[in-house]
């Protein structure tokens, strides 16, 4: 089981704006699987953690998490489609977990996820001291330090052997498109001008076979974690676009 969370804090000291350390830990070993600083706790951070975990270790069976809005629908809005279906769609992170067959278990109190809470208490002590010692004051510098030094040293000192040696991670199939699965997804209908509009963003589509238009076709827009876009008609990729960022939900 994996536990993950975000810890907003004054990581670089009181003279600097707060940011959020997003981290995931293996419950069986206490191993820090992935960690990265983000401006705030949100969907981008959780999706980054998920992709990093899956690439390095495989697909976990269960993720234990709190009821943050990026992980759990806390709003009371039901779309017409959801009303007709009788169920609400998960969050962007929930959709990615669902696609990978990962069970998400919500923790109802901080005490219920004590290991990850203790992890952040330790990090707010040790990591802040390390950052101050190296005069690290930016998210970019801190993330480079995490990847190059801190995670390896932390796991060498604190991770333990699991009680059971049987591997509980599912292997990632070679034909699994992680970039598509672990991304932001939006449903849209192509306009008469053969474009897809999402908020204030307009994505042009190239002509289809025999230079036909895709007007009125329902498509799926996927924004990858690097900001680039893919447009799919069912499972057929019909367009790509360079990075352009929407405001995160």
């Amino acid at each position: 089981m994996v536990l993950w969370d975000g810890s907003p804090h004054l990581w670089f000291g009181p003279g600097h704006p707060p940011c959020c350390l997003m981290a995931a830990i293996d419950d069986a070993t206490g191993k820090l699987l992935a960690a990265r600083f983000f401006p705030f706790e949100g969907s981008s951070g959780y999706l980054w953690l998920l992709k990093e975990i899956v690439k390095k270790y495989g697909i976990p069976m269960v993720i234990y998490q709190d009821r943050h809005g990026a992980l759990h629908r806390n709003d009371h809005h039901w779309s017409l489609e959801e009303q007709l279906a009788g169920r609400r769609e998960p969050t962007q992170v929930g959709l990615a977990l669902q696609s990978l067959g990962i069970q998400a278990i919500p923790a109802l109190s901080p005490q219920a996820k004590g290991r990850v809470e203790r992890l952040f208490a330790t990090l707010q002590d040790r990591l802040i001291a390390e950052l101050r010692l190296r005069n690290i004051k930016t998210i970019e510098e801190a993330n480079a330090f995490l990847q190059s030094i801190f995670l390896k040293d932390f796991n060498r000192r604190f991770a333990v052997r699991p009680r059971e040696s049987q591997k509980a991670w599912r292997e990632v199939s070679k034909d699994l498109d992680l970039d598509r699965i672990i991304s932001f997804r939006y449903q849209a209908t192509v306009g008469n001008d053969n474009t897809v509009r999402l908020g204030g963003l307009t994505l042009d589509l190239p002509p289809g076979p025999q230079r036909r238009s895709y007007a009125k076709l329902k498509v799926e827009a996927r924004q990858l974690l690097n900001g680039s876009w893919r447009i799919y008609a069912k499972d057929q990729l019909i367009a790509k676009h360079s990075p352009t960022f929407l405001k995160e939900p």
Side-chain angles (χ1 to χ4, degrees):
M1 180 171 70
V2 170
L3 301 94
W4 64 7
D5 203 358
S7 178
H9 192 67
L10 292 170
W11 289 97
F12 306 130
H16 299 269
C19 60
C20 185
L21 178 64
M22 310 281 294
I25 189 171
D26 180 11
D27 187 57
T29 63
K31 183 176 183 178
L32 190 53
L33 302 172
R36 187 176 179 86
F37 285 101
F38 289 85
F40 56 89
E41 183 177 0
S43 303
S44 295
Y46 284 109
L47 289 175
W48 183 90
L49 285 175
L50 179 60
K51 190 172 183 180
E52 191 76 359
I53 292 167
V54 171
K55 286 194 305 180
K56 286 185 176 181
Y57 303 102
I59 302 172
M61 304 291 288
V62 175
I63 288 185
Y64 202 61
Q65 59 192 24
D66 64 17
R67 300 175 75 85
H68 187 275
L71 305 171
H72 178 80
R73 287 282 298 274
N74 295 319
D75 63 279
H76 300 291
H77 173 72
W78 286 67
S79 68
L80 178 60
E81 291 79 9
E82 288 173 333
Q83 292 178 45
L84 293 173
R87 62 179 180 83
R88 297 206 298 168
E89 284 292 305
T91 64
Q92 296 282 359
V93 180
L95 287 168
L97 295 177
Q98 192 177 84
S99 296
L100 290 168
I102 300 172
Q103 181 185 6
I105 299 178
L108 301 178
S109 68
Q111 292 78 16
K113 52 186 180 73
R115 183 183 283 264
V116 74
E117 294 292 336
R118 291 192 296 273
L119 166 68
F120 282 121
T122 301
L123 292 176
Q124 287 178 11
D125 178 29
R126 295 177 177 273
L127 180 54
I128 286 177
E130 293 280 0
L131 295 174
R132 186 179 296 117
L133 182 65
R134 291 167 170 77
N135 197 32
I136 293 175
K137 301 294 184 182
T138 68
I139 287 179
E140 292 76 18
E141 292 174 331
N143 284 334
F145 170 64
L146 281 173
Q147 301 306 316
S148 62
I149 299 174
F150 186 82
L151 265 68
K152 296 175 185 176
D153 183 62
F154 183 93
N155 288 330
R156 179 181 57 80
R157 298 174 66 182
F158 297 108
V160 298
R161 290 183 178 275
R163 293 180 181 178
E164 297 181 11
S165 58
Q166 183 177 358
K167 187 177 178 181
W169 299 79
R170 286 181 285 125
E171 292 187 5
V172 180
S173 170
K174 292 182 179 179
D175 58 359
L176 196 65
D177 188 349
L178 285 181
D179 287 336
R180 181 182 180 184
I181 290 173
I182 305 176
S183 65
F184 292 90
R185 63 186 79 183
Y186 307 93
Q187 302 300 319
T189 300
V190 181
N192 290 330
D193 56 354
N194 212 39
T195 64
V196 172
R197 286 182 168 79
L198 298 167
L201 179 65
T202 300
L203 301 173
D204 295 314
L205 301 182
Q210 287 77 53
R211 302 196 62 79
R212 67 178 177 85
S213 170
Y214 292 105
K216 307 300 183 184
L217 183 68
K218 292 186 182 299
V219 296
E220 181 184 71
R222 292 274 188 152
Q223 187 176 31
L224 309 191
L225 298 190
N226 65 3
S228 64
W229 290 88
R230 296 180 187 174
I231 309 297
Y232 292 89
K234 295 184 178 180
D235 281 331
Q236 181 183 0
L237 178 63
I238 60 174
K240 290 184 178 182
H241 283 272
S242 57
T244 306
F245 289 93
L246 290 173
K247 183 179 180 181
E248 182 172 319

